Amino acid sequence: MRRYVFAPDGDRFRLDLQQVADPQPGAGEVLVRVKACSLNYRDLIMVRNERKLPISGLVPISDGAGEIVAVGAGVRERTVGERVAADFFRRWPHGCFSKSAMDSAQGGAVDGMLAELVALPANAVVPIPEHLSFSEAATLPCAGLTAWNALVTRGNLSAGQTVLVLGSGGVSVFALQIAHALKATVIATTSTPTKVSKLTALGATYVIDTRARVDWEVAVHELTNKRGVDHVVEVGGVGSLERSIKAVAHAGHIALIGVLAGTQPPTNLFSLAHKNVNVSGIYVGSAEHFAAMNRFLSAHKIKPIVDREFGFVDAAKAYDHLASGTHMGKVVITIP
Ligand SMILES: NC(=O)c1ccc[n+]([C@@H]2O[C@H](COP(=O)([O-])OP(=O)(O)OC[C@H]3O[C@@H](n4cnc5c(N)ncnc54)[C@H](OP(=O)(O)O)[C@@H]3O)[C@@H](O)[C@H]2O)c1
């Protein structure tokens, strides 16, 4: 079978395509024929070597969906022919997060999904919703589940509340779709004027063009009668956190997720206490969370937004497209 691996290339990594023997499922494992993978901003962090992790030789990409083609000894919960996606973590089936789970993050700590065949623990794969294609389902494990846990599992989002989503990347678009389905009012920001109408079409009640409104947190207050929003899906990090704290309502919730604009927090976080704000650190989710999200997506017939698909041999071009920031939603690599 063919697979990609990270190969050192100066101070970063490139993707090398290899031909290797087919993996076999061990006891408690399933063998998945991968049909599609999706990219996340994290995959750019990896290939750019921004975290200086020992990933040389690892298979990239956390997110993939495909079909089970074999099961190992002792596997009862999964069967050959099932359409599944892999959880982001190989060792977080349910319950609380742990160091062991963290050390099982695909495409960073352990091998990922950019391969034709992958052997995975049976309890680390989740059946995918029937109404989704493999490409659509491949977008769920990281971006979809992060948005779900930010707003639902940890945020307890309810109808009538207001949600602020920043930008039009994978996590933010999923958060918009989930919040809209739950009858929340969604305020989206974008730095790309041509995306305004697309975000509106997906259900955003208001879209703030951050090029025209650099003071977008003030715009949020104008749109909410000076109250602020109940939830912020915070994907920016250092470049936006201080503004997000201003944009959130008293007793509101900020889901800390991303680092699009850097990893250092602002120096003064006291206003979080002053406003009685709840802050949740979110790192994707478990297979149990994933299954719960899939039930919701099925009930609401939510379809992920796939911006563009690339073929397996064009994987590097898919990375370039994500890096361009021109996408809306998800970038997918299909595997024949
Ligand atoms: N903690 C977790 O579990 C977790 C999970 C998934 C992702 N993340 C993190 O969350 C962030 C988003 O990931 P993603 O995969 O959704 O990214 P993505 O798809 O690459 O999103 C890129 C989009 O975000 C917008 N953007 C760019 N810079 C921004 C900034 N400084 N502030 C606000 N928006 C900005 C742009 O949209 P416009 O053109 O509309 O402005 C851009 O097109 C990343 O930092 C990623 O590492 C964390």
Side-chain angles (χ1 to χ4, degrees):
M1 67 128 185
R2 295 176 301 165
R3 68 176 191 185
Y4 281 95
V5 293
F6 291 114
D9 189 8
D11 59 359
R12 52 174 290 152
F13 291 97
R14 64 171 190 275
L15 304 181
D16 273 4
L17 189 56
Q18 294 181 334
Q19 185 79 41
V20 294
D22 289 358
Q24 301 301 321
E29 289 186 335
V30 296
L31 185 66
V32 176
R33 181 167 296 285
V34 184
K35 305 301 284 183
C37 293
S38 87
L39 284 173
N40 294 283
Y41 187 77
R42 168 180 179 267
D43 298 309
L44 296 178
I45 293 174
M46 292 297 160
V47 83
R48 290 170 178 161
N49 198 18
E50 288 179 15
R51 299 263 166 85
K52 307 286 178 231
L53 296 172
I55 57 172
S56 182
L58 274 190
V59 177
I61 302 192
S62 55
D63 291 12
E67 188 181 331
I68 295 178
V69 289
V71 299
V75 173
R76 286 186 187 79
E77 66 270 48
R78 300 271 72 94
T79 52
V80 170
E82 269 189 296
R83 300 163 78 239
V84 294
D87 193 53
F88 181 91
F89 298 104
R90 289 201 183 177
R91 291 192 298 271
W92 193 10
H94 51 70
C96 290
F97 193 48
S98 64
K99 173 76 167 63
S100 167
M102 193 172 88
D103 291 342
S104 71
Q106 298 208 100
V110 301
D111 279 334
M113 298 296 289
L114 195 54
E116 290 177 315
L117 290 166
V118 178
L120 294 163
N123 61 5
V125 301
V126 173
I128 58 179
E130 278 179 19
H131 71 290
L132 300 186
S133 66
F134 284 119
S135 287
E136 290 164 339
T139 68
L140 301 175
C142 180
L145 193 51
T146 298
W148 170 260
N149 278 339
L151 287 178
V152 180
T153 316
R154 304 281 289 281
N156 293 313
L157 174 65
S158 57
Q161 290 191 316
T162 44
V163 174
L164 173 64
V165 301
L166 305 179
S168 57
V171 174
S172 299
V173 168
F174 270 117
L176 193 171
Q177 293 178 288
I178 291 166
H180 180 60
L182 286 170
K183 303 195 186 323
T185 298
V186 181
I187 301 175
T189 69
T190 181
S191 61
T192 311
T194 52
K195 294 178 178 173
V196 172
S197 57
K198 294 179 185 169
L199 291 164
T200 305
L202 282 176
T205 309
Y206 307 103
V207 182
I208 301 168
D209 175 350
T210 56
R211 294 204 181 174
R213 288 299 301 262
V214 180
D215 61 341
W216 50 264
E217 75 284 12
V218 178
V220 168
H221 274 270
E222 290 166 7
L223 293 169
T224 55
N225 292 324
K226 299 185 182 159
R227 181 176 171 271
V229 291
D230 296 297
H231 301 267
V232 182
V233 180
E234 175 37 81
V235 294
V238 66
S240 56
L241 184 54
E242 224 153 342
R243 290 173 191 271
S244 291
I245 295 170
K246 287 181 182 153
V248 75
H250 290 78
H253 170 235
I254 299 178
L256 274 187
I257 293 169
V259 293
L260 284 171
T263 51
Q264 299 304 311
T267 47
N268 185 0
L269 292 173
F270 184 70
S271 51
L272 289 170
H274 201 63
K275 288 173 93 171
N276 261 312
V277 169
N278 295 303
V279 179
S280 307
I282 306 288
Y283 193 15
V284 199
S286 66
E288 187 177 39
H289 294 136
F290 197 166
M293 175 183 72
N294 284 350
R295 288 192 291 276
F296 176 86
L297 298 178
S298 297
H300 292 269
K301 291 284 177 284
I302 292 176
K303 285 230 176 203
I305 304 302
V306 175
D307 178 87
R308 199 162 153 196
E309 293 182 356
F310 292 81
F312 190 55
V313 293
D314 288 330
K317 290 183 185 160
Y319 277 71
D320 290 343
H321 183 59
L322 188 80
S324 76
T326 56
H327 65 288
M328 194 175 120
K330 299 295 295 176
V331 178
V332 168
I333 298 166
T334 57
I335 307 179

